[in-house]
Amino acid sequence: MAARRDTELVFGGTSARFHGTGEDLLGRESESEEVDAGLRDPTGPGLVLVRGERGVGRSAFVRAAAERLRAEGVAVLPVACVPDDGERPLLLALRLVMALEEHRPAAARPRPTHGPAVAALTAVKEGDSTAMAEALAAALAQPTPTAVVVDDAQYADAESLALLGRVDFERVLPGTRLMVTAVRHTGSDRTSRRPRSSRAGRAVERLARNRAARTIVLPRLGPEDVTALVARRLRAVPDVSLVRRVHRLSRGIPGAVDALLVEWTGRDAIRMADGHAFLGVGTPAPVLPDGDRYVVALRSLGEPCWTVASALSVLWPLGRPAAALLAASTGLSDAAVGHSIRSLVDEGIVDELPGRDEAAFRGWTFRVPLMAHAVRERLGPLERSRLSAAAVGELWAGGGTAAAGAPHDTPAAAILDEADAETYLPDRIAEAGILVDPERAVAELTAAARALYPDLDRRGMLRWYLGAVRLIEEPSARDLSVLRCGQAAHGCGDYPTARAAAEGIVSAPAEGLDPLNLYEAATLLVASASAEKDWPALSRMGAASWWDGLPLPAVASVSGRVQALWQLEKWQEALTLLAQTEPIWQTTPDSHALLELFGVVAEFVLGRPDRFMRVLTMPEAPELARSKAFAMVIAQLDVLLGAGDLQRATALLAARGLAAELLPACSQFLLRHLEGRWDEALPLARRLLVNGGALNVVPGHHLIPARTAAVLLARGRITSAGRLISSVRGEVNGEGNGEVNGPLEHVLDHTDAEVLRTVGDLGRAEEILRRGLSAADDRGSVYGTDELWASLAEVHAEAGHTPEAVACLERLERLAERMDSGRTRLLYLLTSVQVLRPDLPDSRRHLLEAVELARERGQMFETAVTLTAAARANAGPAALLHEAYELFGETGAALWRFHTRAAMRESGLVVPGRKQATAENEHLLAILLAEGLTNRQIANVLRLSEDAVANRLSRLFARTGMRSRTEVVTAVLAGGPLTSDDRRMTADDRG
């Protein structure tokens, strides 16, 4: 994997990078228009005051406005204020005078011993505000257009700000403008929560009341702007869950968004797949470093504010009672706690939460949730346990969770609406540990964990199970809790935790643990090892000797061994073992149901489908738990979807009353792929590939990457498809010697061969197809080989090897009769036409049957391919091409749509939408360039001559105004426009 970290799409994803903060003004369009209009208007405001909370982007906003003025010939004079400036009276006024005088044209400057600069220096020495006011007024009277930018005025000295507030800007020359930025902590509704109490803060408020002043308050960013900001920072399309998490932790404050992304990318927590960015499942919020602006702001308040903020990070969800608990837990007086909280509110660290009664408030919350996490994580374990125990005691005593305006004098112990009531109490119980009643803690943690199952976002279920485990002393009860924890971990994708739990139990189970629990532990161990793709370990588990050394009952050992063979796709060995041990695995309903299913699936894979088809129509076993019955249905469904049987798959879902939205991501992808809903399928595939869950479908571990690569191929992403296949092969053949140590790879072989056929490499395609068929034959597997036989027959036909092609066709025909598969029958019908003469009566009959069968099967892409084949062989009206053309458009199969356009022109049909067709051709050509294909490879892909490709490239460059392949590739990767009209429009927008 390390050698492929910089490729665009590989199994497991590549590292996302943070691409600088820049001077982005996303979501500031209306404010920018407002400030520009005022600054350009000769009668506009002489003073523009830009306000907003910490990190909202005041400085960037003003710098951008200043740069626009500079571009129009206005001189810009920057003056930045820093902490401790407020300790030096009249400092800001002096710096303004000096900057303005230095800018004044030499001819207009007074003699060195006279003028505003000298007067200002004297005024500072003597502390003469009146003299400084006169010097400042004189300096502001600039003869040329000038803009003075004062950044972070909240740090400035109050005396200078007071002088600025008294300046009569209407009498100052109209070419002089003053832009000032200052912090004002506002909520998302732009309302001020509490005015600053410092002298500088009050002076800024007076400055805002100057009659020549205009105040612009920058709000937080909404979800759409946060999405755009994340996309710009990562140069990728962000996943919805990533954006949702960023917005929740940052509250839409750009500085917090950047801090969050910097930390996550630095920890390799954000992964890239196919130009999309994903946050790893269960990734915790990062801990902001000591140098972060939010941490520095809190540190600057000193003690006891830091201690109070740390305690509030644990207790704030309790509302107003948190203050008393905080005092009791920290030993601070009520007065000190109250004063510290007021300071935290003033400094914008914490917000007050208003109640229904305007005179009351419900409590406090951290302005930036990311900051709450940063403070809480800096607490020591004993401090956190003590604070959590206090919260648990308060909630257990109060027993409430509603808090929308309790009476001011009798606050209730309850969880605020702004907190996550579902996770807060269990989290506190888990952290309190032995400081609370263990028996009650275990019961509540277990109940909360079960209620949150399957917790795919990992909000807390595993933490609570682990918290319960730490409190249980009785060995068998503790092992049972460990097992439940491991099963929950597997359900939410934390396979290392699941495997560790299972290994601990099977290697040394507690005395008295139920045999059924040990059977479940063995099942969990095999499933976790498979999910981690540890094929060598599974190979060891497939041997009796591995299980013989463990203190397990026979049903656990036999079941574990069968499941290991099943995961390795050693079907005949699994069937033999099942037959030899049937009296053992028949002893419990769970093992009987599971291993019986394994048996019928194994028979199906080996070419005996009858029992599996009967099982599909049988009612569910009533003795099975609901979760186990669901897992059985998913296993059956995945077999059908892998075999391309959409009809039986949808019938199974209907019979079991399951909606597609309830299916695991793997199953959803396979279903959407067959339905032709590729735009919905691809996001699922990307997430599975990034999170490592793409090889969990049995049989056909590699169906997800293989089908994903097929979609990419159909859309012209030739190189990306091949790269994905190669990366998955690396996960299985870790030794790099070509020997398959794990499941079969023949589904990958089929797509890999299609990639090679597309670029014209028939020799290599034939080699890979033969290798896949040979590997499947070694294990007696026929599952998925129909596609390989069909492709190999076509490769031989294209190469002119008719006898070999006919032999492959005969194998495919026998397979179709044996499996009673609609897909296999359809492949045989279409392949026979390509291998035999299309003008034969049998060929026409085969094509007519193929069209009827494809329509009956109802798969969009498959139907379009069939209609195209029938039309091109004159087995149906040429109008079938129109229908195929529309179906390829619905799936987004750009390459197939291109070839269909060519076929329509050959048949004398008019291609609808000439401009759209031209744009699609250019876009496909640009994609092929971006994929790194040479002119010869592009010619093979498009079935054109190299001269025709060169001509198309020349027209593309002429139409777009681009001069090189590099420019085209850059435009494609950036999602930029290709046509010259669009490019001119973009340039006009910039200008």
Side-chain angles (χ1 to χ4, degrees), residues 591-729:
S591 60
H592 174 266
L594 181 64
L595 298 191
E596 183 74 20
L597 175 63
F598 284 4
V600 298
V601 169
E603 290 177 4
F604 180 88
V605 171
L606 295 172
R608 304 196 296 274
D610 295 345
R611 281 214 306 153
F612 178 77
M613 295 304 177
R614 286 198 300 271
V615 167
L616 296 178
T617 61
M618 295 172 61
E620 292 181 281
E623 65 273 14
L624 289 182
R626 187 174 180 182
S627 60
K628 292 187 172 80
F630 177 77
M632 302 272 284
V633 173
I634 297 305
Q636 297 167 0
L637 178 71
D638 287 345
V639 172
L640 294 172
L641 293 173
D645 198 336
L646 180 61
Q647 286 178 300
R648 285 193 175 101
T650 52
L652 178 64
L653 289 176
R656 301 297 186 248
L658 290 177
E661 293 73 21
L662 299 177
L663 302 177
C666 290
S667 305
Q668 283 196 50
F669 167 81
L670 294 173
L671 180 64
R672 299 304 182 215
H673 174 264
L674 290 184
E675 292 173 334
R677 295 161 66 174
W678 291 356
D679 286 338
E680 297 176 31
L682 278 178
L684 292 166
R686 294 186 190 108
R687 192 172 296 112
L688 286 165
L689 290 166
V690 165
N691 292 328
L695 304 186
N696 290 346
V697 178
V698 183
H701 277 276
H702 301 91
L703 279 170
I704 306 299
R707 298 298 185 249
T708 302
V711 173
L712 296 176
L713 176 62
R715 293 187 166 190
R717 304 281 304 283
I718 316 294
T719 306
S720 294
R723 190 162 54 233
L724 172 57
I725 293 169
S726 297
S727 69
V728 180
R729 288 193 193 281

Side-chain angles (χ1 to χ4, degrees), residues 415-432:
I415 299 174
L416 293 171
D417 293 339
E418 287 75 8
D420 186 348
E422 192 172 17
T423 63
Y424 179 72
L425 179 56
D427 275 343
R428 299 288 75 76
I429 295 173
E431 289 191 340

Side-chain angles (χ1 to χ4, degrees), residues 245 249 256 259-265 267 269 279 283-289 369-375 377-378:
R245 188 94 182 275
L249 288 171
L260 185 57
L261 294 178
V262 166
E263 294 300 314
W264 268 337
T265 53
R267 290 165 170 75
L279 184 65
T283 299
V287 179
L288 295 174
L370 184 59
M371 182 60 181
H373 179 78
V375 176
E377 291 302 304
R378 282 176 165 83

Side-chain angles (χ1 to χ4, degrees), residues 880-909:
L880 290 179
L881 290 173
H882 276 292
E883 184 180 352
Y885 187 67
E886 295 303 318
L887 291 174
F888 285 136
E890 289 187 50
T891 61
L895 186 56
W896 282 85
R897 193 164 155 95
F898 174 88
H899 292 312
T900 308
R901 274 195 294 272
M904 292 169 72
R905 293 191 182 100
E906 290 175 8
S907 301
L909 299 176

Side-chain angles (χ1 to χ4, degrees), residues 103-257:
H103 168 70
R104 190 183 297 275
R109 293 179 188 172
R111 287 177 295 174
T113 56
H114 296 78
V118 175
L121 285 169
T122 303
V124 170
K125 292 178 182 178
E126 298 178 357
D128 189 343
S129 295
T130 303
M132 180 61 82
E134 294 174 356
L136 182 59
L140 286 169
Q142 289 282 320
T144 59
T146 306
V148 183
V149 178
V150 179
D151 198 15
D152 285 331
Q154 71 273 6
Y155 297 133
D157 62 281
E159 292 80 6
S160 294
L161 292 172
L163 290 181
L164 285 175
R166 293 195 293 270
V167 169
D168 187 354
F169 285 94
E170 294 178 353
R171 297 185 61 184
V172 174
L173 290 179
T176 302
R177 294 287 188 270
L178 181 65
M179 289 188 285
V180 178
T181 75
V183 165
R184 183 170 77 180
H185 298 298
T186 58
S188 56
D189 57 358
R190 306 193 187 196
T191 58
S192 181
R193 294 303 188 215
R194 180 188 290 269
R196 290 182 59 84
S197 58
S198 67
R199 291 180 62 215
R202 291 191 296 270
V204 170
E205 298 296 333
R206 287 194 297 270
L207 183 62
R209 292 194 291 270
N210 187 301
R211 63 182 182 179
R214 176 177 298 172
T215 299
I216 294 177
V217 179
L218 298 182
R220 300 170 179 178
L221 300 180
E224 290 185 2
D225 289 322
V226 169
T227 301
L229 181 59
V230 174
R232 188 171 299 182
R233 295 291 188 258
L234 301 179
R235 296 184 187 173
V237 179
D239 180 56
V240 173
S241 59
L242 169 60
V243 172
R244 188 184 303 119
R245 188 94 182 275
V246 169
H247 190 266
R248 182 172 63 82
L249 288 171
S250 69
R251 295 275 170 81
I253 301 172
V257 172

Side-chain angles (χ1 to χ4, degrees), residues 319-555:
R320 285 173 45 227
L325 285 176
L326 194 159
S329 299
T330 61
L332 294 171
S333 66
D334 291 341
V337 170
H339 176 75
S340 296
I341 291 177
R342 284 192 296 274
S343 297
L344 293 171
V345 173
D346 288 343
E347 188 58 28
I349 304 296
V350 166
D351 272 340
E352 285 183 350
L353 294 172
R356 295 194 184 102
D357 183 355
E358 293 183 1
F361 67 94
R362 293 179 291 127
W364 308 270
T365 184
F366 278 77
R367 175 175 291 274
V368 182
L370 184 59
M371 182 60 181
H373 179 78
V375 176
R376 184 171 60 251
E377 291 302 304
R378 282 176 165 83
L379 284 168
L382 292 179
E383 294 173 289
R384 198 181 305 181
S385 295
R386 186 173 63 252
L387 291 166
S388 293
V392 172
E394 187 75 9
L395 287 170
W396 279 355
T401 56
H408 185 73
D409 54 343
T410 57
I415 299 174
L416 293 171
D417 293 339
E418 287 75 8
D420 186 348
E422 192 172 17
T423 63
Y424 179 72
L425 179 56
D427 275 343
R428 299 288 75 76
I429 295 173
E431 289 191 340
I434 61 174
L435 298 183
V436 296
D437 177 14
E439 186 175 349
R440 182 173 178 179
V442 169
E444 293 203 13
L445 287 171
T446 304
R450 287 174 176 167
L452 204 59
Y453 182 85
D455 193 19
L456 297 179
D457 294 327
R458 302 189 196 175
R459 294 170 57 206
M461 178 181 62
L462 293 183
R463 291 195 303 274
W464 307 337
Y465 269 127
L466 290 171
V469 167
R470 286 191 290 266
L471 294 173
I472 299 173
E473 296 183 358
E474 201 278 317
S476 61
R478 189 175 187 277
D479 266 12
L480 182 58
S481 186
V482 169
L483 175 60
R484 298 292 175 252
C485 179
Q487 291 170 328
H490 187 276
C492 68
D494 186 352
Y495 304 121
T497 297
R499 187 172 177 181
E503 285 177 338
I505 295 173
V506 300
S507 60
E511 185 178 351
L513 197 63
D514 189 277
L516 180 59
N517 298 139
L518 294 174
Y519 154 80
E520 292 180 344
T523 297
L524 177 62
L525 177 59
V526 173
S528 302
S530 175
E532 290 190 294
K533 301 173 287 294
D534 190 349
W535 314 123
L538 285 169
S539 295
R540 292 191 293 272
M541 293 179 196
S545 58
W546 192 89
W547 297 95
D548 290 343
L550 298 175
L552 297 174
V555 66

